[in-house]
Amino acid sequence: MNAIGYQLAKFWTWCVAISPPWLLYLRSDFYFFMVYHVAHYRRKVVRNNLLRSFPEKGLDEVRAIEKRFYHNLCDQVVETAKLSRMTADDAKRHITVTNPEVMTDLQDRRKSLFLAIPHSGNWEWFGKRMLTFSAHHPMAIYKKVKNPVMERFVLELRTNIPVEMVESETALRTLAKRNGTLDQVLILADQSPMGHKSDYWTEFLHQDTSWFSGLERMAKYLDYAVVFVAMKRTGRGRYEVTFHPVTDAPKETEQGFIMEQYVRHVEKLIQEQPDNWLWSHRRWKRVRNQEKT
């Protein structure tokens, strides 16, 4: 993205952000037609991921999941543009939390924590919603975008949310310096890692799968609790979040426990609502024992 592209992206975001709901989702329906039927955006990747993950499902059922996924993906795009005008009260109306007492308990016990969320539902909107259920300092770990102009655009969109953004490569150092500060740190932990010996491997959706182990390593080092965020789609622009405590004593857990629990929660969430996960990324592009040193 160059400077002109940046200005065009900002103009598009503004146009979408001011749209009323009926126009917002009309836009999404148009984008679905273009992305799915015209451009065929990553359809081979999505179809292959679904077939490998659900070998028990027939082709017609997989196609139905595939189409719902693309509808959800386009909704996610236009909804994310709404961040520039969304308030915390708006987020509360759109995202229902079923068990806020989980957060209240950790807050009362003065326990910092990681909110581990996969690419399900609208994780960008959740960043705004997390401001409403705890007095802890809100932070989010993000991966830096290679294109500096695109990096600027994404950060400007996200900084409308008063959450401190921390780049993944400096996250541990940044958090380790915050002695005595109570933090709630949002982390997306289901990306495909680059391939290192520290990656965590386990079976996931019938496939041997690698995971970033940073969530567990940071939780143990900092003694932060870990809470899994299960975000389900209940309608267009409507989501339901349930918190699943993984551990509040990470240093006492066996090696691999936190990552295994996280993976099992992600798998269960996908099985319950298979169109709700981000199927368009090449999640299984690496095999075990091909790590970088």
Side-chain angles (χ1 to χ4, degrees):
M1 178 187 286
N2 55 26
I4 295 175
Y6 167 77
Q7 294 300 330
L8 289 173
K10 286 197 69 173
F11 178 71
W12 172 85
T13 300
W14 178 82
C15 291
V16 175
I18 64 173
S19 301
W22 68 268
L23 181 55
L24 185 76
Y25 292 108
L26 187 62
R27 288 178 183 272
S28 178
D29 290 340
F30 172 72
Y31 296 155
F32 165 77
F33 177 80
M34 296 301 295
V35 167
Y36 186 77
H37 291 290
V38 179
H40 291 188
Y41 173 71
R42 294 199 174 187
R43 278 181 58 173
K44 289 184 179 180
V45 173
V46 173
R47 179 73 59 84
N48 185 55
N49 283 343
L50 288 170
L51 288 172
R52 292 173 60 180
S53 301
F54 300 105
E56 73 283 1
K57 296 184 185 297
L59 184 57
D60 288 344
E61 191 173 0
V62 166
R63 283 174 175 165
I65 295 171
E66 178 183 280
K67 286 186 176 181
R68 292 198 302 272
F69 158 71
Y70 276 99
H71 273 295
N72 294 342
L73 179 64
C74 293
D75 281 2
Q76 162 89 11
V77 170
V78 297
E79 287 173 4
T80 299
K82 275 283 189 181
L83 277 176
S84 61
R85 297 176 66 89
M86 177 179 274
T87 66
D89 286 339
D90 291 334
K92 288 181 71 173
R93 286 192 294 270
H94 286 280
I95 303 172
T96 301
V97 177
T98 65
N99 57 342
E101 65 274 6
V102 172
M103 299 300 298
T104 303
D105 175 63
L106 290 170
Q107 178 178 314
D108 290 345
R109 291 194 282 132
R110 300 185 59 78
K111 187 73 177 178
S112 290
L113 68 142
F114 284 108
L115 286 164
I117 188 171
H119 285 87
S120 293
N122 191 321
W123 52 93
E124 299 286 357
W125 274 15
F126 180 78
K128 178 76 76 169
R129 183 66 166 92
M130 70 184 281
L131 302 172
T132 66
F133 49 68
S134 174
H136 282 29
H137 179 70
M139 306 177 74
I141 296 174
Y142 77 99
K143 187 173 179 59
K144 191 173 184 179
V145 180
K146 291 182 179 179
N147 185 309
V149 181
M150 186 63 181
E151 169 83 355
R152 177 187 169 192
F153 172 72
V154 172
L155 281 179
E156 283 186 2
L157 186 61
R158 287 172 170 170
T159 50
N160 180 57
I161 308 172
V163 173
E164 182 179 348
M165 304 298 296
V166 182
E167 209 280 319
S168 58
E169 293 185 2
T170 63
L172 182 57
R173 293 196 300 273
T174 300
L175 294 172
K177 295 177 182 178
R178 299 179 58 81
N179 292 330
T181 304
L182 296 177
D183 299 316
Q184 55 180 3
V185 185
L186 184 63
I187 179 171
L188 283 155
D190 60 340
Q191 300 100 325
S192 179
M194 297 301 294
H196 295 279
K197 289 184 178 180
S198 61
D199 294 342
Y200 180 75
W201 286 86
T202 188
E203 183 175 312
F204 170 66
L205 295 174
H206 309 287
Q207 298 159 86
D208 197 24
T209 309
S210 62
W211 301 77
F212 281 111
S213 60
L215 170 63
E216 178 164 315
R217 287 187 284 111
M218 288 192 294
K220 282 179 171 290
Y221 184 86
L222 300 166
D223 198 29
Y224 280 18
V226 178
V227 176
F228 179 79
V229 181
M231 191 173 191
K232 292 184 178 180
R233 189 183 303 268
T234 58
R236 283 194 129 172
R238 300 291 174 182
Y239 300 90
E240 179 184 272
V241 165
T242 301
F243 298 123
H244 297 281
V246 173
T247 180
D248 60 0
K251 291 186 176 183
E252 299 176 11
T253 62
E254 295 183 2
Q255 189 68 27
F257 172 83
I258 293 174
M259 289 309 307
E260 188 65 26
Q261 291 300 305
Y262 176 78
V263 172
R264 300 284 74 86
H265 279 301
V266 176
E267 187 174 60
K268 184 175 184 293
L269 184 62
I270 293 172
Q271 290 168 342
E272 291 174 349
Q273 201 173 59
D275 55 280
N276 199 39
W277 196 52
L278 190 62
W279 293 102
S280 54
H281 62 312
R282 294 181 60 222
R283 187 62 183 83
W284 292 279
K285 60 187 175 183
R286 304 191 184 281
V287 296
R288 200 185 294 234
N289 298 324
Q290 288 189 351
E291 307 92 345
K292 297 177 182 178
T293 56

